[in-house]
PDB file of all heavy atoms in Angstrom:
ATOM      1  N   LEU A 288      -7.493  19.422 -12.752  1.00 91.00           N
ATOM      2  CA  LEU A 288      -8.856  19.666 -13.224  1.00 91.00           C
ATOM      3  C   LEU A 288      -9.728  20.232 -12.107  1.00 91.00           C
ATOM      4  O   LEU A 288     -10.595  21.072 -12.343  1.00 91.00           O
ATOM      5  CB  LEU A 288      -9.470  18.366 -13.761  1.00 91.00           C
ATOM      6  CG  LEU A 288      -8.962  17.885 -15.109  1.00 91.00           C
ATOM      7  CD1 LEU A 288      -9.406  16.445 -15.369  1.00 91.00           C
ATOM      8  CD2 LEU A 288      -9.443  18.793 -16.238  1.00 91.00           C
ATOM      9  N   GLU A 289      -9.500  19.776 -10.897  1.00 86.00           N
ATOM     10  CA  GLU A 289     -10.297  20.234  -9.755  1.00 86.00           C
ATOM     11  C   GLU A 289      -9.868  21.595  -9.231  1.00 86.00           C
ATOM     12  O   GLU A 289     -10.703  22.394  -8.810  1.00 86.00           O
ATOM     13  CB  GLU A 289     -10.199  19.233  -8.604  1.00 86.00           C
ATOM     14  CG  GLU A 289     -10.899  17.923  -8.840  1.00 86.00           C
ATOM     15  CD  GLU A 289     -10.833  17.038  -7.602  1.00 86.00           C
ATOM     16  OE1 GLU A 289     -10.752  17.586  -6.480  1.00 86.00           O
ATOM     17  OE2 GLU A 289     -10.854  15.815  -7.749  1.00 86.00           O
ATOM     18  N   SER A 290      -8.569  21.845  -9.233  1.00 86.00           N
ATOM     19  CA  SER A 290      -8.049  22.988  -8.481  1.00 86.00           C
ATOM     20  C   SER A 290      -7.573  24.155  -9.318  1.00 86.00           C
ATOM     21  O   SER A 290      -7.166  25.185  -8.765  1.00 86.00           O
ATOM     22  CB  SER A 290      -6.895  22.527  -7.582  1.00 86.00           C
ATOM     23  OG  SER A 290      -5.829  21.989  -8.366  1.00 86.00           O
ATOM     24  N   THR A 291      -7.585  24.033 -10.663  1.00 89.00           N
ATOM     25  CA  THR A 291      -7.108  25.124 -11.509  1.00 89.00           C
ATOM     26  C   THR A 291      -8.093  25.385 -12.652  1.00 89.00           C
ATOM     27  O   THR A 291      -9.014  24.603 -12.894  1.00 89.00           O
ATOM     28  CB  THR A 291      -5.735  24.794 -12.136  1.00 89.00           C
ATOM     29  OG1 THR A 291      -5.914  23.821 -13.196  1.00 89.00           O
ATOM     30  CG2 THR A 291      -4.777  24.232 -11.106  1.00 89.00           C
ATOM     31  N   ASP A 292      -7.867  26.507 -13.329  1.00 90.00           N
ATOM     32  CA  ASP A 292      -8.651  26.846 -14.519  1.00 90.00           C
ATOM     33  C   ASP A 292      -7.841  26.616 -15.796  1.00 90.00           C
ATOM     34  O   ASP A 292      -8.189  27.138 -16.860  1.00 90.00           O
ATOM     35  CB  ASP A 292      -9.091  28.319 -14.458  1.00 90.00           C
ATOM     36  CG  ASP A 292     -10.084  28.571 -13.327  1.00 90.00           C
ATOM     37  OD1 ASP A 292     -10.983  27.725 -13.139  1.00 90.00           O
ATOM     38  OD2 ASP A 292      -9.946  29.589 -12.633  1.00 90.00           O
ATOM     39  N   LEU A 293      -6.765  25.844 -15.689  1.00 93.00           N
ATOM     40  CA  LEU A 293      -5.950  25.553 -16.867  1.00 93.00           C
ATOM     41  C   LEU A 293      -6.775  24.843 -17.925  1.00 93.00           C
ATOM     42  O   LEU A 293      -7.704  24.086 -17.607  1.00 93.00           O
ATOM     43  CB  LEU A 293      -4.756  24.674 -16.476  1.00 93.00           C
ATOM     44  CG  LEU A 293      -3.708  25.287 -15.540  1.00 93.00           C
ATOM     45  CD1 LEU A 293      -2.700  24.231 -15.128  1.00 93.00           C
ATOM     46  CD2 LEU A 293      -3.016  26.461 -16.227  1.00 93.00           C
ATOM     47  N   SER A 294      -6.422  25.049 -19.176  1.00 94.00           N
ATOM     48  CA  SER A 294      -7.126  24.373 -20.263  1.00 94.00           C
ATOM     49  C   SER A 294      -6.818  22.884 -20.221  1.00 94.00           C
ATOM     50  O   SER A 294      -5.821  22.451 -19.637  1.00 94.00           O
ATOM     51  CB  SER A 294      -6.699  24.949 -21.612  1.00 94.00           C
ATOM     52  OG  SER A 294      -5.334  24.602 -21.886  1.00 94.00           O
ATOM     53  N   VAL A 295      -7.690  22.097 -20.860  1.00 94.00           N
ATOM     54  CA  VAL A 295      -7.471  20.656 -20.922  1.00 94.00           C
ATOM     55  C   VAL A 295      -6.155  20.354 -21.621  1.00 94.00           C
ATOM     56  O   VAL A 295      -5.415  19.447 -21.219  1.00 94.00           O
ATOM     57  CB  VAL A 295      -8.652  19.970 -21.638  1.00 94.00           C
ATOM     58  CG1 VAL A 295      -8.338  18.497 -21.913  1.00 94.00           C
ATOM     59  CG2 VAL A 295      -9.916  20.077 -20.795  1.00 94.00           C
ATOM     60  N   ASP A 296      -5.833  21.112 -22.654  1.00 94.00           N
ATOM     61  CA  ASP A 296      -4.562  20.909 -23.361  1.00 94.00           C
ATOM     62  C   ASP A 296      -3.370  21.143 -22.443  1.00 94.00           C
ATOM     63  O   ASP A 296      -2.399  20.371 -22.457  1.00 94.00           O
ATOM     64  CB  ASP A 296      -4.471  21.852 -24.563  1.00 94.00           C
ATOM     65  CG  ASP A 296      -5.358  21.421 -25.726  1.00 94.00           C
ATOM     66  OD1 ASP A 296      -5.629  20.210 -25.827  1.00 94.00           O
ATOM     67  OD2 ASP A 296      -5.780  22.279 -26.512  1.00 94.00           O
ATOM     68  N   GLN A 297      -3.432  22.228 -21.621  1.00 94.00           N
ATOM     69  CA  GLN A 297      -2.322  22.536 -20.729  1.00 94.00           C
ATOM     70  C   GLN A 297      -2.192  21.472 -19.636  1.00 94.00           C
ATOM     71  O   GLN A 297      -1.086  21.059 -19.278  1.00 94.00           O
ATOM     72  CB  GLN A 297      -2.530  23.904 -20.084  1.00 94.00           C
ATOM     73  CG  GLN A 297      -1.365  24.347 -19.201  1.00 94.00           C
ATOM     74  CD  GLN A 297      -0.073  24.496 -19.971  1.00 94.00           C
ATOM     75  OE1 GLN A 297      -0.025  25.165 -21.001  1.00 94.00           O
ATOM     76  NE2 GLN A 297       0.999  23.865 -19.489  1.00 94.00           N
ATOM     77  N   ILE A 298      -3.319  21.010 -19.116  1.00 94.00           N
ATOM     78  CA  ILE A 298      -3.282  19.971 -18.091  1.00 94.00           C
ATOM     79  C   ILE A 298      -2.716  18.678 -18.662  1.00 94.00           C
ATOM     80  O   ILE A 298      -1.932  17.982 -18.007  1.00 94.00           O
ATOM     81  CB  ILE A 298      -4.687  19.748 -17.505  1.00 94.00           C
ATOM     82  CG1 ILE A 298      -5.101  20.973 -16.673  1.00 94.00           C
ATOM     83  CG2 ILE A 298      -4.729  18.480 -16.640  1.00 94.00           C
ATOM     84  CD1 ILE A 298      -6.520  20.922 -16.169  1.00 94.00           C
ATOM     85  N   ALA A 299      -3.111  18.363 -19.892  1.00 94.00           N
ATOM     86  CA  ALA A 299      -2.571  17.159 -20.535  1.00 94.00           C
ATOM     87  C   ALA A 299      -1.055  17.243 -20.624  1.00 94.00           C
ATOM     88  O   ALA A 299      -0.348  16.256 -20.392  1.00 94.00           O
ATOM     89  CB  ALA A 299      -3.185  16.985 -21.921  1.00 94.00           C
ATOM     90  N   HIS A 300      -0.549  18.425 -20.928  1.00 94.00           N
ATOM     91  CA  HIS A 300       0.908  18.614 -20.999  1.00 94.00           C
ATOM     92  C   HIS A 300       1.539  18.511 -19.621  1.00 94.00           C
ATOM     93  O   HIS A 300       2.536  17.795 -19.418  1.00 94.00           O
ATOM     94  CB  HIS A 300       1.231  19.971 -21.613  1.00 94.00           C
ATOM     95  CG  HIS A 300       2.694  20.324 -21.568  1.00 94.00           C
ATOM     96  ND1 HIS A 300       3.266  21.004 -20.492  1.00 94.00           N
ATOM     97  CD2 HIS A 300       3.714  20.072 -22.436  1.00 94.00           C
ATOM     98  CE1 HIS A 300       4.560  21.151 -20.715  1.00 94.00           C
ATOM     99  NE2 HIS A 300       4.856  20.603 -21.887  1.00 94.00           N
ATOM    100  N   ASP A 301       0.969  19.207 -18.633  1.00 94.00           N
ATOM    101  CA  ASP A 301       1.558  19.242 -17.291  1.00 94.00           C
ATOM    102  C   ASP A 301       1.512  17.879 -16.609  1.00 94.00           C
ATOM    103  O   ASP A 301       2.359  17.581 -15.761  1.00 94.00           O
ATOM    104  CB  ASP A 301       0.827  20.270 -16.426  1.00 94.00           C
ATOM    105  CG  ASP A 301       1.079  21.703 -16.888  1.00 94.00           C
ATOM    106  OD1 ASP A 301       1.944  21.899 -17.763  1.00 94.00           O
ATOM    107  OD2 ASP A 301       0.406  22.618 -16.380  1.00 94.00           O
ATOM    108  N   ALA A 302       0.517  17.061 -16.944  1.00 94.00           N
ATOM    109  CA  ALA A 302       0.407  15.736 -16.339  1.00 94.00           C
ATOM    110  C   ALA A 302       1.220  14.692 -17.089  1.00 94.00           C
ATOM    111  O   ALA A 302       1.323  13.546 -16.636  1.00 94.00           O
ATOM    112  CB  ALA A 302      -1.057  15.301 -16.289  1.00 94.00           C
ATOM    113  N   GLY A 303       1.773  15.086 -18.231  1.00 94.00           N
ATOM    114  CA  GLY A 303       2.643  14.173 -18.960  1.00 94.00           C
ATOM    115  C   GLY A 303       1.949  13.306 -19.996  1.00 94.00           C
ATOM    116  O   GLY A 303       2.559  12.359 -20.511  1.00 94.00           O
TER     117      GLY A 303
END
Side-chain angles (χ1 to χ4, degrees):
L288 286 167
E289 290 184 28
S290 61
T291 74
D292 293 318
L293 295 173
S294 68
V295 171
D296 286 333
Q297 184 62 51
I298 291 174
H300 173 270
D301 291 351

